[in-house]
Amino acid sequence: RKEVEQDPGPFNVPEGATVAFNCTYSNSASQSFFWYRQDCRKEPKLLMSVYSSGNEDGRFTAQLNRASQYISLLIRDSKLSDSATYLCAVNGRGGSYIPTFGRGTSLIVHP
Amino acid sequence: SQTIHQWPATLVQPVGSPLSLECTVEGTSNPNLYWYRQAAGRGLQLLFYSVGIGQISSEVPQNLSASRPQDRQFILSSKKLLLSDSGFYLCAWSLSGVAYNEQFFGPGTRLTVL
């Protein structure tokens, strides 16, 4: 099993839709979790951290499920500008602070 | 606020030529620094990381090397480039000694080896 796995997609949704991505991780000792957004040919940018209690920022909600070892990202009321690749990152390696990234999930929001 | 710079933005090099990519961070001290490569359609591959001046850890054995001559400067080098070295090279930093360790990426260098 890969350390961090994501469905590559693409997820093709209309404007205004709600879409959710999951990211599974294999290291049960992982302590910190993040979602990044990467636009085409650009660097990844931190979208939000994922806390045990969940995290909400406007239309974006991130949650952690430790029992099933996955994190999720929910986007409500999708905008055209949300089209991007969403990467999850999980710190692991026996508690190391170096995160492992998933390959990303591609989101396409169409009119 | 902190900023991270990388240059050059794009680079086209022949096989067998040397490489030097530079990354600098402003607005923070003693950051952890990282070099990643992202090949077309692939995920982020961690190449090197550094927790301090002169301290380099290599993640993947290859013909690349890294150096950290100053606290906020990280350099990626190669003596002879291979075709397989083509990719998007990203430098990142994070706060040292912090449990929740978000990384912040530079704008990247797109390298094409011909």
Side-chain angles (χ1 to χ4, degrees):
Chain A
R1 181 180 177 183
K2 292 182 182 177
E3 288 186 66
V4 179
E5 288 194 81
Q6 294 183 256
D7 181 343
F11 285 62
N12 208 319
V13 303
E15 272 187 291
T18 296
V19 62
F21 314 130
N22 284 344
C23 166
T24 59
Y25 61 94
S26 60
N27 186 348
S28 60
S30 297
Q31 293 296 321
S32 52
F33 310 87
F34 311 97
W35 283 103
Y36 288 79
R37 170 194 170 125
Q38 186 174 23
D39 292 298
C40 187
R41 301 180 70 82
K42 297 289 188 179
E43 75 275 23
K45 293 186 177 177
L46 181 67
L47 182 63
M48 57 200 311
S49 303
V50 188
Y51 306 123
S52 296
S53 57
N55 192 13
E56 185 171 325
D57 183 4
R59 299 182 293 108
F60 298 82
T61 300
Q63 291 192 318
L64 167 64
N65 185 316
R66 283 194 182 275
S68 299
Q69 294 184 205
Y70 72 89
I71 61 173
S72 63
L73 178 67
L74 180 78
I75 305 175
R76 291 180 296 276
D77 189 23
S78 298
K79 312 291 185 189
L80 295 176
S81 58
D82 292 334
S83 298
T85 297
Y86 291 84
L87 308 174
C88 65
V90 177
N91 102 321
R93 303 164 186 260
S96 163
Y97 296 148
I98 300 173
T100 299
F101 285 83
R103 288 196 171 189
T105 297
S106 175
L107 172 65
I108 300 171
V109 182
H110 59 81
Chain B
S1 63
Q2 300 87 3
T3 55
I4 177 168
H5 305 279
Q6 281 187 251
W7 61 92
T10 59
L11 193 59
V12 180
Q13 292 284 96
V15 169
S17 62
L19 174 75
S20 180
L21 302 180
E22 190 163 342
C23 169
T24 58
V25 181
E26 297 177 355
T28 187
S29 295
N30 194 33
N32 293 331
L33 296 173
Y34 312 81
W35 277 112
Y36 287 90
R37 176 170 61 203
Q38 189 175 39
R42 304 289 297 276
L44 288 169
Q45 179 187 28
L46 179 64
L47 302 175
F48 301 94
Y49 68 95
S50 172
V51 298
I53 295 175
Q55 300 178 64
I56 309 293
S57 296
S58 174
E59 287 293 301
V60 182
Q62 54 207 325
N63 68 319
L64 299 172
S65 61
S67 62
R68 185 170 176 173
Q70 300 180 42
D71 181 44
R72 289 169 288 176
Q73 184 185 29
F74 206 20
I75 297 172
L76 182 69
S77 304
S78 174
K79 292 182 179 178
K80 286 186 177 181
L81 283 168
L82 307 173
L83 286 174
S84 58
D85 291 326
S86 293
F88 191 34
Y89 287 82
L90 291 155
C91 180
W93 74 272
S94 66
L95 290 173
S96 59
V98 176
Y100 288 88
N101 220 16
E102 300 99 332
Q103 289 186 331
F104 301 93
F105 288 84
T109 294
R110 197 161 297 278
L111 172 67
T112 303
V113 182
L114 301 175

